Amino acid sequence: MPRYFIDYEDGQVGLRDEEGTCYADLHAARDAAIAALPDIGREPPPADGQRAFKAYVRDEAGTVLCTVTLNLAAECHPER
């Protein structure tokens, strides 16, 4: 099975996968990245309530093969 590396970033902090994981194919690696993003998105957003979380799936040569993005927008309406 091929080894893929999944890196994460939220515009402020980045986490680089140095070990990688073996997946059946690129779609399985992409699905693993998709599954992880909601957990990462549980962090409170900055004061403006906006944050974009990204996952990059790389192969062993370091080539980015897939990008997954989760956008978070939190708005408060205290006047209601």
Side-chain angles (χ1 to χ4, degrees), residues 1 5 21 24-25 45 47 58-59 63-65 68 70 73 78 80:
M1 277 196 284
F5 300 79
T21 303
D25 56 27
R58 296 181 287 118
D59 63 11
T63 303
V64 175
L65 303 173
V68 178
L70 174 68
R80 292 184 184 176

Side-chain angles (χ1 to χ4, degrees), residues 2-4 7-9 15 20-22 25 27 29 33 35 39-40 42 53 62 66 70 79-80:
R3 181 173 296 274
Y4 294 96
D7 305 324
Y8 297 95
E9 70 173 38
L15 299 171
T21 303
C22 291
D25 56 27
H27 294 288
D39 288 334
I40 294 169
R42 293 186 203 288
F53 300 92
C66 187
L70 174 68
E79 63 279 355
R80 292 184 184 176

Side-chain angles (χ1 to χ4, degrees), residues 13-31:
V13 176
L15 299 171
R16 186 165 174 89
D17 182 357
E18 299 293 343
E19 295 179 24
T21 303
C22 291
Y23 293 99
D25 56 27
L26 176 59
H27 294 288
R30 179 206 59 194
D31 291 348

